[in-house]
């Protein structure tokens, strides 16, 4: 087994052996040493090192524990969480209003996307009303200072600790007693309790669990910065997402200046909001009216481009979808950037079966402009119209938009809050729309011609006639 992570461990490190246990991430079974295969469920490569409970385990504690009073739900007073705004409006929007006492936020994203920048700005803004601590494991204090000068935060009162030892950090948090603490990043920390390297699943999980415990115990709100693996998941797999209260992801193309922060889990608020920022030479600036930032500017309409009106949280966003359909080899490729690839394959099958448009000998590539990730099914119709446009080599008309979900039977289903989407498009000067019948406006919208369709073949027919 070449993947064995700890070659030296079991033979000559008896101390580590006593303190740690290997737990199967599939079945929860345990083993005192690392094995390639779980002895309980026989799954391969699932044993992960964790800190072992001292003593003879649960039963001894159970025997000593007394039963606790249980309350009736109706009698428990439901108090809303008190939130402290960070001072960055777009960040507060995704957080559901601000930081919550004892709340733990995990913020993930590609390297260089702006996590440290955003958090330094937030920490600085919060330092005016709260006691804050910025723990950096990636940069030295001098580097953080340089960044803060660049951000124009000279003279900031933020307390900084450059450290990667978890125990030392916990002791400092106890001594400093901050109300808000940033850990940049969780992958650089290591706990003395474990023998595995910083950044390993075991270390990341243990450090996050300990920090979360400290946050809950002391009421200090924490933000953990996490790196994203090549597969797009937060490293230290999804284990962290269960431990923390809120998970935010940074999205966007590092080559363009716009960044989205999306909540994918939030125990303290809604998860459908996004925060939009622009990276400037003075850090991240919130974009309060982002509807048109993901449109590319073509002088003349080009084939294979269709503008989608998508809804992100409370705000409609216009995003250009691009498709390229080109003669492929014996096994044509389907690639998508920013949209789901499986859904693309399904849509191509629907297009073939119900509208008679075949792409089975073609490579199909689709891309959502600006690095934005679109997960709502209302993108279906725009994806198919972009593909059809590329296949025909004919652009869609100037000022064209579309949205609507396409089902396996070829039906076009309505998207939520269609009127709002259409109004936003009209406001930005779009003039032709193909939308599901149920989304057609009752009163005409000035400047916008709306074609209502029930089926994908109707939509294709409308396009051919335009
Ligand atoms: P950073 O916050 O270090 O990214 P992360 O912590 O997510 O890895 O972002 C660094 C990038 O942002 C870097 O490429 C430079 C750019 N940047 C600006 O454009 N303007 C600025 O004011 C700052 C501080 C960084
Ligand atoms: Mg960083």
């Amino acid at each position: 087994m070449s993947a064995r992570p700890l070659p030296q461990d079991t033979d000559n490190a008896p101390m580590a052996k006593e303190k740690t246990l290997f737990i199967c991430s599939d079945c929860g079974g345990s083993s005192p040493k690392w094995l390639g295969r779980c002895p309980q469920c026989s799954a391969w490569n699932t044993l992960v090192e964790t800190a072992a409970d001292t003593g003879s385990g649960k039963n001894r504690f159970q025997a000593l524990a007394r039963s606790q009073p249980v309350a009736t739900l109706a009698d428990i007073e439901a108090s809303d969480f008190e939130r402290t705004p960070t001072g960055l409006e777009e960040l507060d929007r995704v957080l559901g209003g601000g930081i919550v006492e004892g709340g733990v936020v995990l913020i993930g994203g590609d390297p260089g996307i702006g996590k440290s920048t955003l958090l330094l700005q937030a920490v600085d803004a919060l330092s005016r009303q709260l006691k804050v601590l910025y723990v950096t494991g990636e940069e030295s204090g001098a580097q953080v200072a340089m960044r803060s000068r660049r951000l124009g935060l000279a003279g900031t009162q933020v307390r900084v600790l450059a450290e990667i030892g978890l125990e030392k950090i916990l002791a400092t948090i106890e001594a400093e007693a901050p109300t808000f603490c940033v850990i940049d990043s969780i992958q650089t920390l290591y706990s003395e309790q474990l023998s595995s390297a910083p950044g390993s699943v075991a270390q990341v999980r243990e450090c996050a669990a300990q920090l979360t415990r400290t946050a809950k115990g002391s009421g200090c709100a924490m933000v953990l910065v996490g790196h994203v693996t090549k597969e797009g998941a937060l490293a230290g797999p999804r284990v962290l997402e269960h431990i923390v209260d809120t998970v935010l992801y940074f999205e966007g193309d590092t080559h363009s200046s716009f960044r989205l922060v999306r909540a994918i889990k939030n125990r303290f608020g809604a998860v459908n909001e996004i925060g939009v920022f622009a990276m400037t030479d003075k850090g991240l600036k919130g974009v309060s009216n982002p509807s048109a930032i993901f449109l590319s500017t073509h002088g003349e309409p080009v084939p294979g481009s269709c503008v989608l009106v998508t809804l992100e949280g409370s705000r409609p966003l216009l995003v250009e979808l691009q498709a390229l359909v080109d003669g492929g080899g014996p096994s044509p490729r389907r690639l998508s950037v920013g949209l789901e690839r499986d859904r693309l394959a399904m849509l191509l099958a629907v297009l073939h079966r119900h509208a008679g448009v075949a792409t089975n000998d073609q490579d199909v590539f689709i891309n959502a402009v600006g690095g934005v990730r679109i997960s709502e099914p209302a993108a279906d119709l725009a994806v198919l119209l972009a593909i059809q446009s590329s296949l025909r080599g004919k652009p869609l008309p100037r000022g064209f938009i579309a949205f609507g979900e396409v089902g396996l039977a070829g039906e076009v289903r309505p998207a939520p809050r269609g009127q709002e989407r259409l109004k936003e498009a009209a406001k930005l000067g779009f003039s032709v729309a193909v939308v599901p019948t149920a989304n057609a406006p009752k009163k005409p919208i000035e400047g916008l011609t709306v074609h209502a369709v029930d089926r994908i073949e109707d939509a294709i027919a409308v396009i051919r006639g335009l």
Side-chain angles (χ1 to χ4, degrees), residues 110-117 147 150-151 279-283:
D110 292 330
I113 200 151
K115 301 181 291 298
S116 306
T117 306
R147 187 197 299 269
R150 183 169 175 193
L151 294 171
M279 180 62 96
T280 66
D281 54 359
K282 286 242 175 324

Side-chain angles (χ1 to χ4, degrees), residues 143-424:
Q143 280 171 305
V144 177
M146 246 173 58
R147 187 197 299 269
S148 84
R149 301 282 183 294
R150 183 169 175 193
L151 294 171
L153 310 177
T156 175
Q157 294 306 305
V158 174
R159 307 275 282 166
V160 178
L161 168 70
E163 179 56 60
I164 58 170
L166 177 72
E167 284 74 19
K168 289 181 202 150
I169 293 171
L170 291 176
T172 313
I173 290 178
E174 203 177 312
E176 284 269 317
T179 354
F180 181 67
C181 175
V182 172
I183 308 287
D184 189 1
S185 66
I186 188 76
Q187 272 100 352
T188 52
L189 301 196
Y190 76 95
S191 162
E192 307 273 5
Q193 284 191 53
L194 299 178
S195 51
S196 35
S200 62
V201 175
Q203 284 286 7
V204 168
R205 182 160 63 182
E206 179 63 20
C207 292
Q210 294 249 25
L211 286 165
T212 306
R213 221 170 296 146
T214 304
K216 302 291 165 202
S218 65
C220 168
M222 277 197 200
V223 176
L224 313 179
V225 175
H227 290 284
V228 167
T229 58
K230 281 193 220 84
E231 293 76 38
L234 279 171
R238 310 209 74 136
V239 283
L240 283 190
E241 294 182 1
H242 301 290
I243 297 174
V244 301
D245 298 308
T246 304
V247 180
L248 306 182
Y249 267 101
F250 246 106
E251 282 173 26
D253 193 343
T254 29
H255 305 294
S256 87
S257 63
F258 293 110
R259 307 279 188 272
L260 299 186
V261 179
R262 192 187 294 274
I264 62 164
K265 163 181 171 180
N266 195 351
R267 288 192 185 139
F268 305 121
V271 287
N272 54 0
E273 283 292 355
I274 58 166
V276 184
F277 294 91
M279 180 62 96
T280 66
D281 54 359
K282 286 242 175 324
L284 288 159
K285 294 254 153 41
V287 179
S288 52
N289 190 6
S291 53
I293 59 174
F294 293 108
L295 297 175
S296 64
T297 42
H298 304 290
E300 283 297 309
V302 292
S305 157
C306 180
V307 174
L308 160 75
V309 192
T310 180
L311 210 62
E312 290 291 354
S314 51
R315 296 177 295 189
L317 209 59
L318 281 87
V319 178
E320 181 183 339
L321 301 185
Q322 296 183 330
L324 179 66
V325 182
D326 199 20
S331 53
R333 283 186 292 175
R334 275 91 182 79
L335 285 182
S336 62
V337 180
L339 293 132
E340 267 177 68
R341 193 165 57 167
D342 291 341
R343 194 148 186 108
L344 170 63
M346 186 196 95
L347 290 174
L348 290 174
V350 172
L351 188 65
H352 180 217
R353 186 60 176 271
H354 297 285
V357 179
T359 52
N360 47 3
D361 54 349
Q362 307 276 329
D363 285 341
V364 180
F365 306 101
I366 55 171
N367 172 35
V369 167
V372 55
R373 227 167 277 160
I374 295 170
S375 51
E376 70 161 359
D380 295 351
L381 192 58
V383 168
L384 287 180
L385 295 181
I387 290 170
Q388 152 81 353
S389 157
S390 173
L391 193 63
R392 284 208 303 166
K394 282 191 80 170
L396 290 161
R398 184 181 284 281
F400 181 92
I401 58 124
F403 60 83
E405 180 179 347
V406 177
L408 284 180
E411 80 278 19
V412 176
R413 292 199 219 118
R417 293 162 51 200
Q419 306 294 303
E420 255 173 74
R421 299 184 197 228
L422 289 171
K423 283 195 187 126
E424 187 69 24

